[in-house]
Amino acid sequence: MAETLSGIEKLKAKVGVRWQPREYLIEGEMIRRFAHAVGDNNPLWKDGNIAPPTFTLSIGFEQFVEDLIKLTPFNTVLMASTEIEGYQPIKLGDSITVVFKISNLRERKGQTGQMAFMTFESSYKNQEGQLVARCRQMVIGY
Amino acid sequence: MSIQLYYQDVSKGDEVAPLVKEPTPRQLVMWAGAVGDYMPIHYDQDYARSRGLEGIIVHGQLIGAFLGQLMTDWVGEQGRLRKLSCSYKGMNYPGEVVTLRGKVLRKYIRGGEHFVECSLWAENPKGEKTASGAAVVILPYGDDYKRKGRTRR
């Protein structure tokens, strides 16, 4: 129990803190792989030149989740909601800088013990400094 | 590719042509690799059961991406998906059909752009809504548009 609490405290300390920006070069294979995983045969992204709007979900996500897992005392994290705003398409050759932030954390006692609802936000800027997309997602840790 | 959808084509209450998916465990693994989400509840049956689930579940974000495809298929090459939001209310299991649906809530012109808002949802084979949300899309305006003779999608 004490361990659980200290885990939550570690997470709480991160609320509102911006993660260090990370930069990703967008390659055609990343776009193709994403569209293929969705089973989306739209000719717009089939060649890997333009990314589908939900592609933003994949940029920097793995690294963020790895960081999060180190902080969270929970075994399982379920996605509760996803919100994506796209201002301009992400394209092959773009260099996208992503910044994550945990914007909210709510604790709750659930049937299986302690639970937490975490909201995190991310912003995506291209090599010209233009904001191309924003995401807000909520996860449930238990 | 299907014919381009124009702002004039759309009316409140219109239904979006549904998208039917049947994710397999293989597709979940592909998704895991594409986004880097390696939570074992999406590939390890025993682990998923130990966490109180019936078995491995489809990634919520993959359902979100399906809803994104529903919209980008609908708006066509010249349309844009500006915003997509969804909440995951129930589980989707691989091997089960997921049907993605949408309905036009309203349309409006702002700043010279032609917006359409839709409600969206995902259904499991029992017809239960496992996810629901909304989208904002921008459609082209057909300047030489003639409704007569056009086929609605």
Side-chain angles (χ1 to χ4, degrees):
Chain A
M1 194 64 190
E3 208 178 27
T4 304
L5 287 175
S6 72
I8 279 278
E9 294 309 318
K10 257 199 278 180
L11 260 183
K12 275 184 182 165
K14 282 284 187 183
V15 175
V17 179
R18 284 156 60 94
W19 253 243
Q20 80 174 74
R22 283 179 171 134
E23 199 176 345
Y24 298 88
L25 178 65
I26 306 306
E27 294 166 7
E29 193 50 32
M30 292 160 74
I31 296 173
R32 273 193 297 272
R33 192 180 291 245
F34 182 91
H36 192 44
V38 178
D40 184 343
N41 296 317
N42 194 320
L44 282 176
W45 20 91
K46 223 178 168 187
D47 297 336
N49 292 317
I50 298 173
T54 52
F55 177 78
T56 44
L57 294 173
S58 72
I59 308 172
F61 188 68
E62 182 174 357
Q63 286 75 13
F64 175 68
V65 169
E66 269 177 23
D67 291 347
L68 204 59
I69 285 170
K70 283 180 205 150
L71 291 167
T72 172
F74 303 107
N75 292 313
T76 305
V77 176
L78 281 178
M79 196 61 64
S81 68
T82 301
E83 189 180 307
I84 305 165
E85 281 184 68
Y87 309 112
Q88 51 173 293
I90 292 172
K91 299 181 298 295
L92 166 69
D94 276 350
S95 189
I96 302 293
T97 300
V98 187
V99 180
F100 280 93
K101 179 179 93 174
I102 300 174
S103 54
N104 193 27
L105 182 69
R106 277 188 297 132
E107 288 174 79
R108 216 165 86 178
K109 281 257 186 283
Q111 287 178 327
T112 49
Q114 196 159 22
M115 297 170 76
F117 291 80
M118 270 175 280
T119 305
F120 58 89
E121 297 177 0
S122 42
S123 67
Y124 306 79
K125 281 185 179 168
N126 67 11
Q127 58 283 1
E128 271 132 45
Q130 297 159 324
L131 184 68
V132 293
R134 235 202 274 261
C135 285
R136 183 191 296 140
Q137 304 203 76
M138 187 162 80
V139 293
I140 305 169
Y142 72 101
Chain B
M1 190 146 182
S2 354
I3 56 159
Q4 179 59 49
L5 185 73
Y6 290 98
Y7 184 71
Q8 294 99 313
D9 288 326
V10 175
S11 308
K12 186 181 169 181
D14 281 357
E15 281 180 28
V16 175
L19 176 68
V20 177
K21 296 278 190 180
E22 194 171 345
T24 56
R26 182 176 191 268
Q27 186 170 17
L28 304 194
V29 172
M30 286 165 72
W31 175 262
V35 301
D37 180 345
Y38 300 109
M39 287 287 160
I41 50 172
H42 305 297
Y43 61 83
D44 184 334
Q45 293 286 7
D46 292 338
Y47 182 81
R49 291 191 186 112
S50 79
R51 298 307 297 155
L53 301 165
E54 280 176 37
I56 58 169
I57 56 166
V58 178
H59 299 75
Q61 286 182 324
L62 180 55
I63 301 293
F66 288 163
L67 290 170
Q69 185 190 341
L70 174 77
M71 286 289 100
T72 50
D73 282 352
W74 187 61
V75 303
E77 202 176 330
Q78 294 171 50
R80 291 280 170 269
L81 175 59
R82 170 54 59 86
K83 187 173 175 179
L84 175 76
S85 58
C86 59
S87 306
Y88 311 111
K89 296 161 178 302
M91 307 301 168
N92 289 102
Y93 297 95
E96 283 184 358
V97 168
V98 189
T99 308
L100 297 311
R101 297 182 185 277
K103 201 170 194 175
V104 175
L105 289 175
R106 60 191 193 115
K107 57 188 269 187
Y108 52 92
I109 302 170
R110 190 172 294 163
E113 293 197 287
H114 298 80
F115 291 92
V116 176
E117 283 184 19
C118 295
S119 63
L120 306 177
W121 65 98
E123 279 176 14
N124 69 10
K126 291 177 193 158
E128 297 161 339
K129 286 187 185 182
T130 53
S132 67
V136 179
V137 300
I138 300 172
L139 287 179
Y141 187 82
D143 287 324
D144 50 359
Y145 182 89
K146 289 187 186 67
R147 185 174 286 274
K148 220 178 171 187
R150 273 182 62 90
T151 321
R152 275 266 181 94
R153 290 176 69 197

Coordinates of all heavy atoms in Angstrom, one line a residue, chain B residues 91-135:
Chain B
M91 N -15.8 -2.9 -24.4 CA -14.6 -3.6 -25.0 C -15.0 -4.1 -26.4 O -16.2 -4.6 -26.6 CB -14.2 -4.8 -24.2 CG -13.9 -4.4 -22.7 SD -12.6 -3.2 -22.6 CE -12.7 -2.8 -20.9
N92 N -14.1 -4.1 -27.3 CA -14.2 -4.8 -28.6 C -13.2 -5.9 -28.5 O -12.0 -5.7 -28.1 CB -13.9 -3.9 -29.7 CG -15.0 -2.8 -30.0 OD1 -14.9 -1.7 -29.6 ND2 -16.1 -3.3 -30.5
Y93 N -13.6 -7.1 -29.0 CA -12.7 -8.3 -28.9 C -12.3 -8.6 -30.3 O -13.2 -8.6 -31.3 CB -13.4 -9.4 -28.2 CG -13.7 -9.1 -26.8 CD1 -15.0 -8.7 -26.4 CD2 -12.8 -9.3 -25.8 CE1 -15.3 -8.3 -25.1 CE2 -13.0 -9.0 -24.5 CZ -14.3 -8.5 -24.1 OH -14.5 -8.2 -22.8
P94 N -11.1 -9.1 -30.5 CA -10.7 -9.5 -31.9 C -11.5 -10.7 -32.3 O -11.9 -11.5 -31.5 CB -9.2 -9.9 -31.7 CG -9.0 -10.0 -30.3 CD -10.0 -9.2 -29.6
G95 N -11.8 -10.8 -33.6 CA -12.6 -11.8 -34.1 C -14.1 -11.4 -34.2 O -14.9 -12.1 -34.9
E96 N -14.4 -10.3 -33.6 CA -15.8 -9.8 -33.7 C -15.8 -8.6 -34.6 O -14.9 -7.8 -34.7 CB -16.2 -9.2 -32.3 CG -16.6 -10.3 -31.3 CD -17.1 -9.7 -30.0 OE1 -17.2 -8.4 -29.8 OE2 -17.5 -10.5 -29.1
V97 N -16.9 -8.5 -35.3 CA -17.1 -7.4 -36.2 C -17.3 -6.1 -35.4 O -18.0 -6.1 -34.4 CB -18.4 -7.6 -37.1 CG1 -18.8 -6.4 -37.9 CG2 -18.0 -8.8 -38.1
V98 N -16.7 -5.0 -35.9 CA -16.9 -3.7 -35.3 C -17.5 -2.8 -36.5 O -16.9 -2.8 -37.5 CB -15.6 -3.0 -34.9 CG1 -15.9 -1.7 -34.1 CG2 -14.8 -3.9 -34.1
T99 N -18.7 -2.2 -36.2 CA -19.3 -1.4 -37.3 C -19.1 0.1 -36.8 O -19.6 0.4 -35.7 CB -20.7 -1.8 -37.5 OG1 -20.8 -3.2 -37.7 CG2 -21.3 -1.0 -38.7
L100 N -18.5 0.9 -37.7 CA -18.3 2.3 -37.4 C -19.4 3.1 -38.1 O -19.6 2.9 -39.3 CB -16.9 2.7 -37.8 CG -15.7 2.1 -37.2 CD1 -15.8 2.1 -35.7 CD2 -15.4 0.7 -37.7
R101 N -20.1 4.0 -37.3 CA -21.2 4.7 -37.9 C -21.1 6.2 -37.6 O -20.5 6.6 -36.6 CB -22.5 4.2 -37.4 CG -22.8 2.7 -37.7 CD -24.2 2.3 -37.2 NE -24.4 0.9 -37.4 CZ -24.9 0.4 -38.6 NH1 -25.1 1.2 -39.6 NH2 -25.1 -0.9 -38.7
G102 N -21.8 7.0 -38.4 CA -21.8 8.4 -38.1 C -23.1 9.0 -38.7 O -23.8 8.5 -39.5
K103 N -23.4 10.2 -38.1 CA -24.6 10.9 -38.5 C -24.4 12.4 -38.4 O -23.7 12.9 -37.5 CB -25.7 10.5 -37.5 CG -27.1 10.7 -38.0 CD -28.1 10.1 -37.0 CE -29.5 10.0 -37.6 NZ -30.5 9.3 -36.8
V104 N -24.9 13.1 -39.4 CA -24.6 14.6 -39.5 C -25.5 15.3 -38.4 O -26.7 15.1 -38.3 CB -25.0 15.1 -40.9 CG1 -24.9 16.6 -40.9 CG2 -24.1 14.5 -41.9
L105 N -24.8 16.0 -37.6 CA -25.4 16.8 -36.5 C -25.8 18.2 -37.0 O -26.9 18.7 -36.7 CB -24.5 16.9 -35.3 CG -24.2 15.7 -34.4 CD1 -23.2 16.0 -33.4 CD2 -25.5 15.2 -33.8
R106 N -24.8 18.9 -37.6 CA -25.1 20.2 -38.2 C -24.0 20.6 -39.2 O -23.0 20.0 -39.3 CB -25.2 21.2 -37.0 CG -24.0 21.4 -36.2 CD -24.3 22.2 -35.0 NE -23.0 22.7 -34.3 CZ -22.6 23.9 -34.2 NH1 -23.3 24.9 -34.7 NH2 -21.5 24.2 -33.5
K107 N -24.3 21.7 -39.9 CA -23.4 22.2 -40.9 C -23.4 23.7 -40.8 O -24.4 24.3 -40.5 CB -23.7 21.7 -42.3 CG -25.0 22.0 -42.8 CD -25.3 21.3 -44.1 CE -25.0 22.2 -45.3 NZ -25.4 21.6 -46.6
Y108 N -22.2 24.3 -41.0 CA -22.1 25.8 -40.9 C -20.9 26.3 -41.7 O -20.0 25.6 -41.9 CB -22.1 26.2 -39.4 CG -21.0 25.6 -38.6 CD1 -19.7 26.1 -38.5 CD2 -21.3 24.4 -38.0 CE1 -18.7 25.5 -37.7 CE2 -20.3 23.7 -37.2 CZ -19.0 24.3 -37.1 OH -18.0 23.7 -36.4
I109 N -21.0 27.6 -42.0 CA -19.9 28.2 -42.7 C -19.2 29.2 -41.7 O -19.9 30.0 -41.1 CB -20.4 29.0 -44.0 CG1 -21.1 28.0 -44.9 CG2 -19.2 29.7 -44.7 CD1 -21.8 28.6 -46.1
R110 N -17.9 29.1 -41.6 CA -17.2 30.0 -40.7 C -15.9 30.3 -41.3 O -15.1 29.4 -41.7 CB -17.1 29.4 -39.3 CG -16.5 30.3 -38.2 CD -16.6 29.7 -36.8 NE -18.0 29.4 -36.4 CZ -18.3 28.6 -35.4 NH1 -17.4 27.9 -34.8 NH2 -19.6 28.4 -35.1
G111 N -15.6 31.6 -41.3 CA -14.3 32.1 -41.9 C -14.1 31.6 -43.3 O -13.0 31.3 -43.7
G112 N -15.2 31.5 -44.1 CA -15.1 31.0 -45.5 C -14.9 29.5 -45.6 O -14.8 29.0 -46.8
E113 N -14.9 28.8 -44.5 CA -14.8 27.3 -44.6 C -16.1 26.7 -44.3 O -16.9 27.2 -43.5 CB -13.6 26.8 -43.7 CG -12.3 27.3 -44.2 CD -11.1 26.5 -43.6 OE1 -10.9 26.7 -42.4 OE2 -10.5 25.8 -44.4
H114 N -16.3 25.5 -44.9 CA -17.6 24.8 -44.8 C -17.4 23.6 -43.9 O -16.9 22.6 -44.2 CB -18.0 24.4 -46.2 CG -18.2 25.6 -47.1 ND1 -17.2 26.2 -47.7 CD2 -19.3 26.2 -47.4 CE1 -17.7 27.2 -48.4 NE2 -19.0 27.3 -48.3
F115 N -18.0 23.8 -42.7 CA -17.9 22.7 -41.6 C -19.1 21.8 -41.5 O -20.2 22.3 -41.7 CB -17.7 23.4 -40.3 CG -16.4 24.2 -40.1 CD1 -16.3 25.5 -40.4 CD2 -15.3 23.5 -39.7 CE1 -15.1 26.2 -40.3 CE2 -14.1 24.2 -39.5 CZ -14.0 25.5 -39.8
V116 N -18.8 20.6 -41.2 CA -19.9 19.6 -40.9 C -19.5 18.9 -39.6 O -18.4 18.5 -39.5 CB -20.1 18.6 -42.1 CG1 -21.2 17.6 -41.7 CG2 -20.5 19.3 -43.4
E117 N -20.5 18.8 -38.7 CA -20.2 18.1 -37.5 C -21.0 16.8 -37.5 O -22.2 16.8 -37.9 CB -20.6 18.9 -36.2 CG -19.6 20.0 -35.9 CD -20.0 20.7 -34.6 OE1 -20.8 20.2 -33.8 OE2 -19.5 21.8 -34.5
C118 N -20.4 15.7 -37.1 CA -21.1 14.4 -37.1 C -20.9 13.8 -35.7 O -19.9 14.0 -35.0 CB -20.4 13.5 -38.0 SG -20.5 14.0 -39.8
S119 N -22.0 13.0 -35.3 CA -21.8 12.2 -34.2 C -21.3 10.8 -34.7 O -21.6 10.4 -35.8 CB -23.1 12.0 -33.4 OG -24.0 11.4 -34.2
L120 N -20.4 10.2 -33.9 CA -19.8 8.9 -34.4 C -20.0 7.9 -33.3 O -20.0 8.2 -32.1 CB -18.3 9.1 -34.6 CG -17.8 10.2 -35.5 CD1 -16.3 10.2 -35.5 CD2 -18.3 10.0 -36.9
W121 N -20.0 6.6 -33.7 CA -20.0 5.6 -32.7 C -19.5 4.3 -33.4 O -19.5 4.1 -34.6 CB -21.3 5.4 -32.0 CG -22.5 5.0 -32.9 CD1 -23.0 3.7 -33.0 CD2 -23.3 5.8 -33.7 NE1 -24.1 3.7 -33.8 CE2 -24.3 4.9 -34.3 CE3 -23.4 7.1 -34.1 CZ2 -25.3 5.4 -35.2 CZ3 -24.3 7.6 -34.9 CH2 -25.3 6.7 -35.5
A122 N -19.1 3.3 -32.5 CA -18.7 2.0 -32.9 C -19.7 1.0 -32.2 O -20.1 1.2 -31.1 CB -17.3 1.7 -32.4
E123 N -20.1 0.0 -33.0 CA -21.0 -1.0 -32.5 C -20.4 -2.4 -32.5 O -19.7 -2.7 -33.5 CB -22.3 -1.1 -33.4 CG -23.3 0.0 -33.1 CD -24.4 -0.1 -34.1 OE1 -24.6 -1.1 -34.8 OE2 -25.2 0.9 -34.2
N124 N -20.7 -3.2 -31.5 CA -20.2 -4.6 -31.5 C -21.4 -5.4 -32.2 O -22.4 -4.9 -32.5 CB -19.9 -5.0 -30.1 CG -21.0 -5.1 -29.1 OD1 -22.2 -5.1 -29.6 ND2 -20.8 -5.3 -27.9
P125 N -21.1 -6.7 -32.3 CA -22.2 -7.5 -33.0 C -23.5 -7.5 -32.3 O -24.5 -7.8 -32.9 CB -21.6 -9.0 -33.0 CG -20.1 -8.7 -32.9 CD -19.9 -7.5 -32.0
K126 N -23.6 -7.2 -31.0 CA -24.8 -7.2 -30.3 C -25.6 -5.8 -30.5 O -26.6 -5.6 -30.0 CB -24.6 -7.4 -28.8 CG -24.2 -8.8 -28.4 CD -23.9 -8.8 -26.9 CE -23.2 -10.1 -26.6 NZ -22.4 -10.0 -25.3
G127 N -24.9 -4.9 -31.2 CA -25.5 -3.6 -31.5 C -25.2 -2.7 -30.3 O -25.8 -1.6 -30.3
E128 N -24.4 -3.0 -29.4 CA -24.0 -2.1 -28.3 C -23.0 -1.1 -28.7 O -22.1 -1.5 -29.5 CB -23.5 -3.0 -27.1 CG -24.5 -3.9 -26.5 CD -23.8 -5.0 -25.7 OE1 -22.6 -5.3 -25.9 OE2 -24.5 -5.6 -24.9
K129 N -23.1 0.1 -28.3 CA -22.1 1.1 -28.6 C -20.9 0.9 -27.7 O -21.0 1.1 -26.5 CB -22.7 2.5 -28.4 CG -23.7 2.9 -29.4 CD -24.1 4.4 -29.3 CE -25.2 4.7 -30.3 NZ -25.7 6.1 -30.2
T130 N -19.8 0.6 -28.3 CA -18.6 0.4 -27.5 C -17.7 1.6 -27.5 O -16.8 1.8 -26.7 CB -17.8 -0.8 -28.0 OG1 -17.5 -0.6 -29.4 CG2 -18.5 -2.1 -27.8
A131 N -18.0 2.6 -28.4 CA -17.3 3.9 -28.4 C -18.3 4.9 -29.0 O -19.1 4.5 -29.8 CB -16.0 3.8 -29.2
S132 N -18.2 6.1 -28.5 CA -19.0 7.1 -29.1 C -18.2 8.5 -29.1 O -17.4 8.7 -28.2 CB -20.3 7.3 -28.5 OG -20.2 7.8 -27.2
G133 N -18.5 9.3 -30.1 CA -17.7 10.5 -30.2 C -18.3 11.4 -31.2 O -19.5 11.4 -31.6
A134 N -17.5 12.3 -31.7 CA -17.9 13.3 -32.7 C -16.7 13.7 -33.6 O -15.6 13.5 -33.2 CB -18.4 14.6 -31.9
A135 N -17.1 14.3 -34.7 CA -16.0 14.7 -35.6 C -16.4 16.1 -36.2 O -17.6 16.4 -36.4 CB -15.8 13.7 -36.7

